[in-house]
Amino acid sequence: MAEAPASIFAQLNSSTDAKEQEKRAQDAIKRQRRLYEQDQARIAELADTNSTLPCTINSIRILNAVLTRRGFLQRIFDPLLKANERPRTLAEALEQVHSATQKLQKFGIFEESITPYIDRPDPTDPSTTPTDIDVYLSVKEKGRLSFKSGTNVGNTEGDAYGSVIFKNAFGGAETLAANATYGTRTRSSYQGTFSTPLFSNPDLNLELGGVASSTQNTWASHEEVLKAAWTKLRWLAGDVHRHEVEYNGSWRQITGLASNASPTVRMDAGDSVKSSVAHTWLADWRDNPLMPQYGVYAKTVNEIAGIGPLGGDVAFWKGQVETQGAVPVRIPGVRNSGVTFTTGLRAGILCPLTLAGRKTPEASRINDRFLLGGPTDVRGFREAGLGPRDGPDSVGGDVYTAWSANLLFPLPGLGWNETFKGQIFMNCGRLLALQGPEASGAEKEGDGSSVGKRLKSTIGQLADGYPSTSAGLGLVYAHPIARLEVNLVLPLVVRKGEAARKGLQWGIGINFL
């Protein structure tokens, strides 16, 4: 019993200590922020009063970068030291330091506030000159290892996932990542990637990766088992033009056929090997990719498989184009209406090519064709609900086009720039299989002229009659990592065999038409 008062006082002291520690931590943050602001003000004053004075950078030191390689940092900052060979002013030197600091920040391995300091070197040092300055950059490295797990629900699928990311793995902003996913449609998926910037350039990146997965494709009565590896080279040209060149080698197996699987699915069942190279170009001028108020987005993808030294047992050229534009709608008397009109277009062509050692191109396979329909492209239709069908199965197509027009507007009681809005939309699209030689007027199947005539005839058929069309209204929420839509949809034009969906439809994704 005698120990009770002591324990009470210990608890009171512990509570007081915790509050005191929290207060000290907050005071330390305030002091650090005040010192940073003072340093920035001192540098700005120094630049204003001495901006035209000649200047040379004597040394650059990165403080607290204990996990980052010296050689990696030298590639970034050595050009500033070599620039001493030509005359420059203090303002120009500070601008170059700022540009190099921004470049360092883009690697994502340091906290946001990289603090620069400028000082004069020791005047007794005979190797220095009166115009020399020393530059110090105080950095704080982010944690290397991170774990994440959770669940996702959306677009007819739910899954659980876990991932581990190892950043700045070897001191040069490299990233090692591994993740595993288990779900209702993606039964299992295991993926690993290694990415690294080349030549200490944040805009030039190399990625190596591999995946093993098993996916249930209910719209075509089968399961696809995939084992693939890839190499990707990415670079940024200008401010917005992003390029990616990829080599992909994959083994695919169509298995687990349902008892009522169609003859088309059964004919493509079994193994296939795809070896392809692809180029992707993307440019995005939108203010917000998930809910833009203004701007333009454009993307093209070109893939070639199976020809020449690529090998594999499928050969084709596959081209896709996607574009979106958004403009604010002005309302008289309203400064910021919050109303935005967006329109998007997607189109694609799959052209069969001739494998090495063979004389004729072969028809495309179900796991290479396009699919169309669902809440992220042509709303008002089920996933893969448009295009050719064989019995109960959607078997995809070789040529498609899809278009959308959306009017986004603020909801009553919410501001014009809120991420929760209403929308009115109309979608339409068509997906076609490559026509046979008889329907296209080709003399015989197999030669290049025959494929060209069939492709031309199929593209012309896109304008034959009305496209599959739907309209509706709904609610849109732009979360920082994904967009969520809940819509009431009404199919207006439905072709024979297509799977339309009337009523409530919802979708989650990052790329809506």
CSV table of all heavy atoms in Angstrom, one decimal, residues 118-142:
chain,number,residue,atom,x,y,z
A,118,ILE,N,25.0,29.7,-48.0
A,118,ILE,CA,26.1,30.3,-48.8
A,118,ILE,C,27.1,30.9,-47.8
A,118,ILE,O,26.7,31.7,-46.9
A,118,ILE,CB,25.7,31.3,-49.8
A,118,ILE,CG1,24.8,30.6,-50.9
A,118,ILE,CG2,26.8,32.0,-50.5
A,118,ILE,CD1,24.2,31.5,-51.9
A,119,ASP,N,28.4,30.7,-48.0
A,119,ASP,CA,29.4,31.3,-47.1
A,119,ASP,C,30.6,31.6,-47.9
A,119,ASP,O,30.8,31.1,-49.1
A,119,ASP,CB,29.7,30.3,-46.0
A,119,ASP,CG,30.4,31.0,-44.8
A,119,ASP,OD1,30.5,32.2,-44.9
A,119,ASP,OD2,30.7,30.3,-43.8
A,120,ARG,N,31.5,32.4,-47.3
A,120,ARG,CA,32.8,32.8,-47.9
A,120,ARG,C,33.8,31.8,-47.5
A,120,ARG,O,33.8,31.4,-46.3
A,120,ARG,CB,33.2,34.2,-47.5
A,120,ARG,CG,32.4,35.3,-48.1
A,120,ARG,CD,32.7,35.5,-49.6
A,120,ARG,NE,32.0,36.7,-50.1
A,120,ARG,CZ,32.0,37.1,-51.4
A,120,ARG,NH1,32.8,36.3,-52.2
A,120,ARG,NH2,31.4,38.1,-51.8
A,121,PRO,N,34.7,31.3,-48.3
A,121,PRO,CA,35.7,30.4,-47.9
A,121,PRO,C,36.7,31.1,-47.0
A,121,PRO,O,36.8,32.3,-46.9
A,121,PRO,CB,36.4,29.9,-49.2
A,121,PRO,CG,36.1,31.0,-50.2
A,121,PRO,CD,34.8,31.6,-49.8
A,122,ASP,N,37.6,30.3,-46.4
A,122,ASP,CA,38.6,30.9,-45.5
A,122,ASP,C,39.6,31.8,-46.3
A,122,ASP,O,40.2,31.3,-47.2
A,122,ASP,CB,39.4,29.7,-44.8
A,122,ASP,CG,40.4,30.2,-43.8
A,122,ASP,OD1,40.5,31.4,-43.7
A,122,ASP,OD2,41.0,29.3,-43.2
A,123,PRO,N,39.7,33.1,-45.9
A,123,PRO,CA,40.5,34.0,-46.8
A,123,PRO,C,42.0,33.6,-46.7
A,123,PRO,O,42.8,34.0,-47.5
A,123,PRO,CB,40.2,35.3,-46.1
A,123,PRO,CG,39.7,35.1,-44.8
A,123,PRO,CD,39.0,33.8,-44.9
A,124,THR,N,42.4,32.8,-45.6
A,124,THR,CA,43.8,32.4,-45.5
A,124,THR,C,44.2,31.3,-46.4
A,124,THR,O,45.3,30.9,-46.5
A,124,THR,CB,44.1,32.1,-44.1
A,124,THR,OG1,43.3,31.0,-43.7
A,124,THR,CG2,43.8,33.2,-43.1
A,125,ASP,N,43.2,30.7,-47.0
A,125,ASP,CA,43.4,29.5,-47.9
A,125,ASP,C,44.0,30.0,-49.3
A,125,ASP,O,43.3,30.8,-50.0
A,125,ASP,CB,42.1,28.7,-48.2
A,125,ASP,CG,42.3,27.5,-49.0
A,125,ASP,OD1,43.4,27.3,-49.5
A,125,ASP,OD2,41.4,26.7,-49.0
A,126,PRO,N,45.2,29.7,-49.6
A,126,PRO,CA,45.8,30.3,-50.9
A,126,PRO,C,45.1,29.8,-52.1
A,126,PRO,O,45.3,30.4,-53.2
A,126,PRO,CB,47.2,29.8,-50.8
A,126,PRO,CG,47.2,28.6,-49.9
A,126,PRO,CD,46.1,28.8,-48.9
A,127,SER,N,44.3,28.7,-52.1
A,127,SER,CA,43.7,28.2,-53.3
A,127,SER,C,42.4,28.9,-53.6
A,127,SER,O,41.8,28.7,-54.7
A,127,SER,CB,43.4,26.7,-53.1
A,127,SER,OG,42.4,26.5,-52.1
A,128,THR,N,42.0,29.8,-52.8
A,128,THR,CA,40.7,30.5,-53.0
A,128,THR,C,41.0,31.9,-53.7
A,128,THR,O,42.1,32.4,-53.6
A,128,THR,CB,39.9,30.7,-51.8
A,128,THR,OG1,40.6,31.5,-50.8
A,128,THR,CG2,39.6,29.4,-51.1
A,129,THR,N,39.9,32.5,-54.2
A,129,THR,CA,40.0,33.8,-54.8
A,129,THR,C,38.9,34.7,-54.2
A,129,THR,O,38.0,34.2,-53.5
A,129,THR,CB,39.7,33.8,-56.3
A,129,THR,OG1,38.4,33.3,-56.6
A,129,THR,CG2,40.7,32.8,-57.0
A,130,PRO,N,39.0,36.0,-54.3
A,130,PRO,CA,38.0,36.9,-53.7
A,130,PRO,C,36.6,36.7,-54.2
A,130,PRO,O,35.6,37.1,-53.5
A,130,PRO,CB,38.5,38.3,-54.1
A,130,PRO,CG,40.0,38.1,-54.3
A,130,PRO,CD,40.1,36.8,-54.9
A,131,THR,N,36.4,36.1,-55.4
A,131,THR,CA,35.1,35.9,-55.9
A,131,THR,C,34.5,34.6,-55.5
A,131,THR,O,33.3,34.3,-55.9
A,131,THR,CB,35.1,36.0,-57.4
A,131,THR,OG1,35.9,34.9,-58.0
A,131,THR,CG2,35.6,37.3,-57.9
A,132,ASP,N,35.2,33.8,-54.8
A,132,ASP,CA,34.7,32.4,-54.4
A,132,ASP,C,33.6,32.4,-53.4
A,132,ASP,O,33.6,33.3,-52.5
A,132,ASP,CB,35.9,31.6,-53.9
A,132,ASP,CG,36.7,31.0,-55.0
A,132,ASP,OD1,36.4,31.1,-56.1
A,132,ASP,OD2,37.8,30.4,-54.7
A,133,ILE,N,32.7,31.5,-53.5
A,133,ILE,CA,31.7,31.2,-52.4
A,133,ILE,C,31.7,29.7,-52.2
A,133,ILE,O,32.0,28.9,-53.1
A,133,ILE,CB,30.3,31.7,-52.8
A,133,ILE,CG1,29.8,31.0,-54.1
A,133,ILE,CG2,30.3,33.3,-52.9
A,133,ILE,CD1,28.3,31.4,-54.4
A,134,ASP,N,31.3,29.3,-51.0
A,134,ASP,CA,31.0,27.9,-50.7
A,134,ASP,C,29.5,27.7,-50.5
A,134,ASP,O,28.8,28.5,-49.9
A,134,ASP,CB,31.7,27.5,-49.4
A,134,ASP,CG,33.2,27.5,-49.5
A,134,ASP,OD1,33.7,27.2,-50.6
A,134,ASP,OD2,34.0,27.7,-48.5
A,135,VAL,N,29.0,26.6,-51.1
A,135,VAL,CA,27.6,26.3,-51.1
A,135,VAL,C,27.4,25.0,-50.2
A,135,VAL,O,28.1,24.0,-50.4
A,135,VAL,CB,27.1,26.0,-52.5
A,135,VAL,CG1,25.6,25.7,-52.4
A,135,VAL,CG2,27.2,27.3,-53.4
A,136,TYR,N,26.5,25.1,-49.3
A,136,TYR,CA,26.1,24.0,-48.5
A,136,TYR,C,24.6,23.7,-48.7
A,136,TYR,O,23.8,24.6,-48.7
A,136,TYR,CB,26.4,24.3,-47.0
A,136,TYR,CG,27.8,24.6,-46.6
A,136,TYR,CD1,28.3,25.9,-46.8
A,136,TYR,CD2,28.7,23.6,-46.2
A,136,TYR,CE1,29.6,26.2,-46.5
A,136,TYR,CE2,30.0,23.9,-45.9
A,136,TYR,CZ,30.5,25.2,-46.0
A,136,TYR,OH,31.8,25.5,-45.7
A,137,LEU,N,24.3,22.4,-48.8
A,137,LEU,CA,22.9,22.0,-48.9
A,137,LEU,C,22.6,21.0,-47.8
A,137,LEU,O,23.2,20.0,-47.7
A,137,LEU,CB,22.7,21.3,-50.3
A,137,LEU,CG,22.8,22.2,-51.5
A,137,LEU,CD1,22.6,21.4,-52.8
A,137,LEU,CD2,21.8,23.3,-51.5
A,138,SER,N,21.7,21.4,-46.9
A,138,SER,CA,21.3,20.6,-45.8
A,138,SER,C,20.1,19.7,-46.2
A,138,SER,O,19.0,20.3,-46.5
A,138,SER,CB,21.0,21.4,-44.6
A,138,SER,OG,20.6,20.6,-43.5
A,139,VAL,N,20.3,18.4,-46.2
A,139,VAL,CA,19.2,17.5,-46.7
A,139,VAL,C,18.8,16.6,-45.5
A,139,VAL,O,19.5,16.4,-44.6
A,139,VAL,CB,19.6,16.7,-47.9
A,139,VAL,CG1,20.0,17.6,-49.1
A,139,VAL,CG2,20.7,15.7,-47.5
A,140,LYS,N,17.6,16.0,-45.7
A,140,LYS,CA,17.1,15.0,-44.8
A,140,LYS,C,16.6,13.8,-45.6
A,140,LYS,O,15.7,14.0,-46.4
A,140,LYS,CB,16.0,15.5,-43.9
A,140,LYS,CG,15.5,14.5,-42.9
A,140,LYS,CD,14.4,15.0,-42.0
A,140,LYS,CE,13.9,14.0,-41.0
A,140,LYS,NZ,12.8,14.5,-40.1
A,141,GLU,N,17.3,12.7,-45.5
A,141,GLU,CA,17.0,11.6,-46.3
A,141,GLU,C,15.7,10.9,-45.8
A,141,GLU,O,15.5,10.8,-44.6
A,141,GLU,CB,18.1,10.5,-46.3
A,141,GLU,CG,19.3,11.1,-47.1
A,141,GLU,CD,20.5,10.1,-47.0
A,141,GLU,OE1,20.7,9.6,-45.9
A,141,GLU,OE2,21.2,9.9,-48.0
A,142,LYS,N,14.8,10.5,-46.8
A,142,LYS,CA,13.7,9.7,-46.4
A,142,LYS,C,14.0,8.3,-46.0
A,142,LYS,O,15.1,7.8,-46.3
A,142,LYS,CB,12.7,9.7,-47.6
A,142,LYS,CG,12.1,11.0,-48.0
A,142,LYS,CD,11.1,10.8,-49.1
A,142,LYS,CE,10.5,12.1,-49.5
A,142,LYS,NZ,9.5,12.0,-50.6
